[in-house]
Amino acid sequence: MANLKEAEPAPMYDFYSKFYIATKNSLAFSKYCNQVFQKDLTQDGFSDILQLQRMIDITRMNATFDVLDIGCGNGKMAEYISDLTGAHLYGIDYIPEAIEQAQVRTKQKINRLTFQEKFIDELSFLENSFEVIYSVDTMYFSKDYKETIDQFLRILKPKGQIAIFYMEMSFDPSENKSKLLPDKTALAIALEKCDLKYDYYDFTQDNYRLSQLKRRAAKSLEMDFKNEGNQFIYDRLIIESLDENTNYDEYKLTCSRFLYHIKL
Ligand SMILES: C[S@@+](CC[C@H](N)C(=O)[O-])C[C@H]1O[C@@H](n2cnc3c(N)ncnc32)[C@H](O)[C@@H]1O
């Protein structure tokens, strides 16, 4: 049975393989990212330039830092952060195509950008490697949050920091909604189990705005996606975005978003 379990495909592996091949040359997706996030970093999460800036500010990233991006995709976000701060950014992702694109695109910046194919559950880095580990909308793919955070702690330097953009969702009306609170999310519970104190920044309202913007931008580019043969991206954007008519009070009963910041 153990072997059978190991043979299970990693969640969304096929989708992300297709996604990073398609977005490499998709003008529609590039336009979409520029409209929603102010910059095309091939975002598949919910963090725009302002959210990233907040993370850079609170962690005080600078050119002396070694920083690890968990779930870096094609590395454009890590490259952007390294260009801004001078920090050495390392990125890991489980999609070989995405890592290859990152390596090829940034080969002139190899002194401060390193990309490796790795799973979030197998962070085979040496102890004391990083000042900051961050993750934007990728913790959900960890098989066990506590184990993943324990791995972060092993590879962080003393006084290292963790920054995680994380969303909690609850669509079942009969479900207890307390899990949407910042200290009750599955991630907060795992941080507590690891005896970690954290600050959090609430981006729920911002997420509401971005989710509606995503829907508007996707709809305005529907034909562009279709004509490129990238209907599957359009379909996903529609599923994960929000109708104009949903009001904020309804929305916040289904979803919350926080940036968790841990300082050792
Ligand atoms: C929701 S996307 C977020 C990407 C990027 N951080 C952003 O904010 O746009 C999740 C990313 O995690 C990667 N990923 C998913 N499961 C993973 C796993 N088990 N190990 C490593 N990377 C994974 C995907 O390939 C994808 O790049």
Side-chain angles (χ1 to χ4, degrees):
M1 284 309 279
N3 283 344
L4 263 185
K5 193 160 192 297
E6 274 160 31
E8 277 171 19
M12 296 203 57
Y13 190 89
D14 289 344
F15 170 81
Y16 280 118
S17 296
K18 211 171 147 194
F19 175 78
Y20 285 114
I21 291 169
T23 52
K24 186 176 180 192
N25 296 312
S26 170
L27 202 57
F29 194 72
S30 180
K31 283 185 190 165
Y32 159 84
C33 288
N34 279 312
Q35 282 182 33
V36 176
F37 304 108
Q38 294 105 54
K39 194 165 179 64
D40 171 17
L41 304 175
T42 322
Q43 290 91 338
D44 181 49
F46 283 79
S47 285
D48 64 1
I49 292 300
L50 289 175
Q51 291 192 20
L52 294 181
Q53 191 57 50
R54 177 74 74 90
M55 176 179 75
I56 291 168
D57 290 344
I58 62 171
T59 56
R60 300 177 184 219
M61 273 183 216
N62 63 59
T64 68
F65 277 26
D66 288 313
V67 177
L68 177 61
D69 178 342
I70 303 284
C72 67
N74 66 13
K76 286 192 182 169
M77 195 176 276
E79 183 181 3
Y80 170 76
I81 291 175
S82 176
D83 287 348
L84 270 183
T85 63
H88 191 133
L89 267 283
Y90 297 75
I92 67 109
D93 202 283
Y94 71 164
I95 301 296
E97 165 72 25
I99 293 299
E100 197 191 331
Q101 286 179 26
Q103 289 168 336
V104 170
R105 195 188 60 254
T106 63
K107 58 176 183 272
Q108 305 300 331
K109 303 179 184 175
I110 202 159
N111 58 325
R112 57 182 171 84
L113 286 166
T114 307
F115 296 101
Q116 283 179 286
E117 188 189 323
K118 277 189 204 300
F119 282 79
I120 189 171
D121 302 299
E122 292 162 20
L123 298 175
S124 51
F125 290 99
L126 294 176
E127 285 178 18
N128 299 336
S129 291
F130 302 105
E131 269 82 14
V132 175
I133 299 177
Y134 75 83
S135 178
V136 184
D137 290 305
T138 302
M139 273 306 277
Y140 325 113
F141 297 97
S142 154
K143 288 182 195 148
D144 181 320
Y145 290 177
K146 181 181 178 314
E147 273 179 26
T148 297
I149 296 161
D150 282 338
Q151 288 199 60
F152 290 175
L153 296 175
R154 183 184 65 75
I155 61 180
L156 271 175
K157 292 184 187 174
K159 301 205 173 166
Q161 304 175 66
I162 302 171
I164 301 175
F165 282 98
Y166 182 83
M167 226 145 80
E168 195 65 80
M169 279 181 252
S170 168
F171 293 112
D172 177 354
S174 67
E175 194 176 26
N176 183 338
K177 299 291 169 183
S178 64
K179 72 187 263 204
L180 299 173
L181 296 171
D183 59 339
K184 298 281 189 302
T185 65
L187 181 62
I189 289 166
L191 291 170
E192 210 169 290
K193 281 189 196 152
C194 295
D195 279 331
L196 290 172
K197 300 248 175 306
Y198 55 83
D199 292 322
Y200 68 84
Y201 301 83
D202 191 336
F203 284 106
T204 308
Q205 187 139 19
D206 205 38
N207 213 52
Y208 169 72
R209 177 187 65 82
L210 281 171
S211 300
Q212 289 189 326
L213 185 53
K214 275 186 172 205
R215 176 71 60 95
R216 278 201 300 281
K219 285 215 172 254
S220 75
L221 292 161
E222 180 174 2
M223 287 319 293
D224 301 49
F225 279 113
K226 278 191 182 149
N227 292 338
E228 284 179 352
N230 286 327
Q231 170 88 35
F232 81 101
I233 299 182
Y234 173 79
D235 291 343
R236 182 169 144 97
L237 294 178
I238 293 302
I239 288 171
E240 65 172 33
S241 62
L242 201 61
D243 188 75
E244 293 285 338
N245 298 323
T246 312
N247 72 44
Y248 182 60
D249 289 335
E250 282 170 45
Y251 174 77
K252 69 181 185 191
L253 292 173
T254 62
C255 181
S256 59
R257 179 177 183 76
F258 305 102
L259 166 58
Y260 289 92
H261 180 215
I262 298 99
K263 285 194 259 184
L264 302 187

